[in-house]
Amino acid sequence: PGPPSPPARCPCHPLPRYKPPATETNPALEDPTPDYMNLLGMVFSMCGLMLKLKWCAWIAVYCSFISFANSRSSEDTKQMMSSFM
């Protein structure tokens, strides 16, 4: 007889909209990845500069790209661009 039809929704009871939880009330929901990548990038860039290791410098560039990609749009743009310097 065919596939079963989905149950009919009552128009007086609409589906509730999804609201993401606020990060101000629960700081554990904030993603720490950009901060960790920023710290790793600084460590690797210092190793690359002081010890003249090219692979450390490339890992620092890679970490800064990851940090930039995972950052929130509400963060300061000047601070994010200074991480590439």
Side-chain angles (χ1 to χ4, degrees):
S5 61
R9 292 285 308 159
C10 178
C12 58
H13 299 291
L15 288 174
R17 293 268 180 188
Y18 173 74
K19 295 177 185 168
T23 57
E24 292 85 19
T25 58
N26 193 356
L29 295 175
E30 189 173 326
D31 187 23
T33 304
D35 297 331
Y36 288 140
M37 285 296 149
N38 210 357
L39 179 67
L40 275 175
M42 284 192 284
V43 169
F44 279 119
S45 65
M46 285 296 134
C47 289
L49 285 172
M50 301 293 182
L51 303 175
K52 296 187 179 181
L53 297 173
K54 284 188 179 181
W55 61 271
C56 279
W58 280 111
I59 291 176
V61 171
Y62 184 69
C63 287
S64 66
F65 278 127
I66 292 174
S67 175
F68 181 71
N70 288 325
S71 66
R72 295 186 181 268
S73 61
S74 61
E75 288 184 13
D76 190 18
T77 310
K78 291 179 183 175
Q79 182 180 359
M80 288 308 299
M81 286 300 147
S82 68
S83 69
F84 284 107
M85 300 297 172

